[in-house]
């Protein structure tokens, strides 16, 4: 066990985290899991090649999706018993799930839940930004990989760039803050977009995060050569705009490392899961839209909690099952080793 992990554990004992019956979800490597990503649907109105198949999408039958009441009960149990304090709603495309604002309202009533955020492709934000804001949501990540309409069509396999841009504007007008743009970076495709997004960030104050392309695509066409690494992206940006300096206070458990340019304009982050994995500091686990716990994005195994929620299982039983799943979490993903196996589900079905 590394010194950092021992320190994490030691500081937990000092803090007496068992107060009020709450015991955090700690795995065998000392990582504390307080961050849950909840997928509300596997459906989507885009077909991004790194995530979904173009055709013959096998969506889950609707009765298999967790109902909002089931999601809320699960989150409440996790917050009260395990110290989960951060929830991100995702999918598929979360805004295609009807009446999402009512889930947001209910989640925000859970005592102890400090942070609720949402990741969206932005297409439906022009219609929904005001409603989501009125429901109490404040933090949004909007995924957009390119500012070029042709490349957008190439990546998302739909024509929708204008709708996404209108969605970003609608979100800004509604009052969302911060708005972060997530851009998957792909070699031979999005190099030109790096500087375009940097210019956009410098001029509008929107934060941009570049994500290394991960092996989670339905069509299984991922190749290491297509990953544009953090270092290569930094080089391209620094050639154009000068030095990027780390933003003070980058959190260890944040998957992104954030930078700003020397003149203070623009904020750029990198999520470098392939070339600089952050597994040692991972604090996340996932609930799929059909009620399975995944202790890692790349896990081969899942733990069913939907059947427990639907059969009226005791809270203690649900907590025990989640604790066991977290205890079973592997030390890290194996993308960079020969034994790596791509997860059975593609990203839209896991919940990004
Ligand atoms: N539909 C919403 C969206 O696109 O923002 C939410 C779900 S999506 C699966 C969540 C995030 O995962 C998006 O930012 C998307 O770009 C990212 N993503 C999907 N597949 C990926 C892959 N193979 N590698 C890296 N990021 C990926
Ligand atoms: Fe849909 Fe998001 Fe996957 Fe793109 S990344 S196909 S928008 S779920």
């Amino acid at each position: 066990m590394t010194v950092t992990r021992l320190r994490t554990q030691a500081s937990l004992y000092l803090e007496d985290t068992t107060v009020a019956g709450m015991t955090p979800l700690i795995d065998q490597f000392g990582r504390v899991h307080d961050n849950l990503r909840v997928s509300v649907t596997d459906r989507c109105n885009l077909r991004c090649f790194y995530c979904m198949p173009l055709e013959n999408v096998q969506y889950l039958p609707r009765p298999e999706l967790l109902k909002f009441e089931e999601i809320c009960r699960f989150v409440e149990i996790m917050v009260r018993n395990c110290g989960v304090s951060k929830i991100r709603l995702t999918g598929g495309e979360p805004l295609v799930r009807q009446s999402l604002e009512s889930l947001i309202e209910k989640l925000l009533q859970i005592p102890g839940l400090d942070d609720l955020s949402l990741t969206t492709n932005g297409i439906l934000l022009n219609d929904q930004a005001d409603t989501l804001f009125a429901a109490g949501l404040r933090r949004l990540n909007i995924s957009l990989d390119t500012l070029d309409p042709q490349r957008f069509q190439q990546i998302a396999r739909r024509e929708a760039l204008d709708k996404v841009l209108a969605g970003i504007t609608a979100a800004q007008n509604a009052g969302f803050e911060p708005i972060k743009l997530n851009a998957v970076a792909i070699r031979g495709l999005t190099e030109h977009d790096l500087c375009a997004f940097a210019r956009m960030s410098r001029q509008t104050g929107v934060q941009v995060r570049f994500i290394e392309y991960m092996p989670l695509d339905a069509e299984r066409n991922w190749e290491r050569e297509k990953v544009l690494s953090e270092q290569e992206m930094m080089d391209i940006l620094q050639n154009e705009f000068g030095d990027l300096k780390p933003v003070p206070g980058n959190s260890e458990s944040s998957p992104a490392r954030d930078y700003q340019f020397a003149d203070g304009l623009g904020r750029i982050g990198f999520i470098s899961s392939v070339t600089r994995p952050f597994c040692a500091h991972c604090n996340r686990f996932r609930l799929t839209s059909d009620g399975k716990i995944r202790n890692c994005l790349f896990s081969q195994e899942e733990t069913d909690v939907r059947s427990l929620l639907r059969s009226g299982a005791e809270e203690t039983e649900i907590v025990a099952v989640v604790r066991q799943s977290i205890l079973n979490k592997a030390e890290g993903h194996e993308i960079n080793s020969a034994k790596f196996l791509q997860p059975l589900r593609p990203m839209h079905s896991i919940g990004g």
Side-chain angles (χ1 to χ4, degrees):
M1 189 179 288
T2 65
V3 174
T4 319
R5 284 183 198 138
L6 276 172
R7 268 198 212 117
T8 315
Q9 275 183 322
S11 62
L12 278 167
Y13 300 138
L14 285 171
E15 280 165 17
D16 186 9
T17 43
T18 55
V19 280
M22 191 284 282
T23 311
L25 294 168
I26 308 180
D27 71 6
Q28 52 178 322
F29 304 101
R31 296 172 294 194
V32 179
H33 293 72
D34 61 357
N35 189 325
L36 173 64
R37 296 172 88 93
V38 175
S39 174
V40 295
T41 181
D42 61 340
R43 290 167 193 253
C44 190
N45 41 11
L46 293 182
R47 292 289 179 275
C48 305
F49 72 78
Y50 48 68
C51 176
M52 284 192 79
L54 179 57
E55 284 162 349
N56 303 321
V57 189
Q58 305 288 317
Y59 285 134
L60 288 162
R62 282 180 201 276
E64 293 199 12
L65 295 186
L66 287 186
K67 298 182 184 70
F68 287 167
E69 295 70 33
E70 292 167 334
I71 293 176
C72 285
R73 173 153 186 253
F74 182 75
V75 170
E76 209 176 337
I77 292 172
M78 289 297 103
V79 172
R80 191 169 48 241
N81 295 277
C82 306
V84 168
S85 59
K86 299 183 185 78
I87 301 284
R88 176 172 292 277
L89 300 176
T90 182
E93 173 47 38
L95 301 194
V96 303
R97 179 95 188 237
Q98 294 249 307
S99 312
L100 188 71
E101 68 280 5
S102 69
L103 174 64
I104 290 167
E105 277 167 10
K106 288 191 188 95
L107 288 172
L108 285 171
Q109 286 166 18
I110 297 176
L113 181 62
D114 297 338
D115 184 40
L116 181 68
S117 57
L118 176 118
T119 301
T120 171
N121 63 27
I123 292 182
L124 296 173
L125 269 180
N126 198 26
D127 302 328
Q128 296 188 22
D130 287 336
T131 312
L132 296 169
F133 193 85
L137 187 70
R138 292 294 176 268
R139 299 211 305 114
L140 271 185
N141 283 19
I142 304 176
S143 303
L144 177 62
D145 307 323
T146 176
L147 293 167
D148 176 84
Q150 274 181 344
R151 277 199 291 282
F152 188 97
Q153 156 73 38
Q154 242 179 309
I155 295 169
R157 304 185 288 195
R158 296 283 187 275
E159 278 174 21
L161 177 60
D162 286 347
K163 283 191 183 145
V164 180
L165 294 175
I168 296 172
T169 306
Q172 284 172 320
N173 292 341
F176 283 98
E177 168 70 28
I179 296 176
K180 292 180 186 163
L181 296 190
N182 287 353
V184 180
I186 298 145
R187 185 188 307 287
L189 195 55
T190 65
E191 284 91 341
H192 281 307
D193 291 294
L194 301 177
C195 292
F197 276 121
R199 262 176 231 115
M200 183 180 185
S201 175
R202 288 166 63 76
Q203 282 166 25
T204 65
V206 164
Q207 298 181 33
V208 182
R209 286 179 158 183
F210 296 111
I211 308 175
E212 289 181 352
Y213 175 23
M214 296 180 280
L216 292 165
D217 56 318
E219 289 157 351
R220 300 195 170 235
N221 287 327
W222 181 87
E223 291 170 85
R224 181 167 301 275
E225 297 67 53
K226 293 180 191 158
V227 178
L228 201 51
S229 71
E230 170 175 343
Q231 189 56 56
E232 291 169 282
M233 293 191 258
M234 291 272 275
D235 290 346
I236 292 172
L237 290 165
Q238 294 191 131
N239 267 341
E240 181 76 17
F241 301 103
D243 279 359
L244 275 167
K245 301 211 178 322
V247 172
N250 264 329
S251 150
E252 264 196 340
S253 62
S254 167
R257 265 181 300 275
D258 291 331
Y259 294 83
Q260 58 197 15
F261 293 103
D263 61 8
L265 294 178
R267 187 178 270 223
I268 309 290
F270 299 97
I271 301 181
S272 312
S273 316
V274 179
T275 66
R276 286 176 73 171
F278 48 87
C279 304
H281 303 290
C282 181
N283 64 352
R284 296 154 176 228
F285 63 116
R286 290 177 153 79
L287 179 66
T288 65
S289 56
D290 56 343
K292 308 285 187 286
I293 290 295
R294 293 183 64 91
N295 57 23
C296 170
L297 192 47
F298 294 98
S299 167
Q300 291 291 322
E301 278 148 33
E302 300 181 338
T303 302
D304 181 35
V305 290
R306 188 186 64 197
S307 58
L308 294 175
L309 289 164
R310 292 194 176 168
S311 65
E314 294 286 331
E315 196 160 314
T316 47
E317 201 181 336
I318 295 171
V319 170
V321 158
V322 176
R323 278 199 201 291
Q324 191 57 51
S325 165
I326 298 298
L327 271 178
N328 293 346
K329 178 161 170 157
E331 186 169 12
H333 67 56
E334 300 281 353
I335 297 178
N336 298 312
S337 94
K339 60 180 179 184
F340 176 73
L341 283 178
Q342 187 162 337
L344 296 174
R345 298 196 197 216
M347 186 65 133
H348 76 101
S349 167
I350 294 173

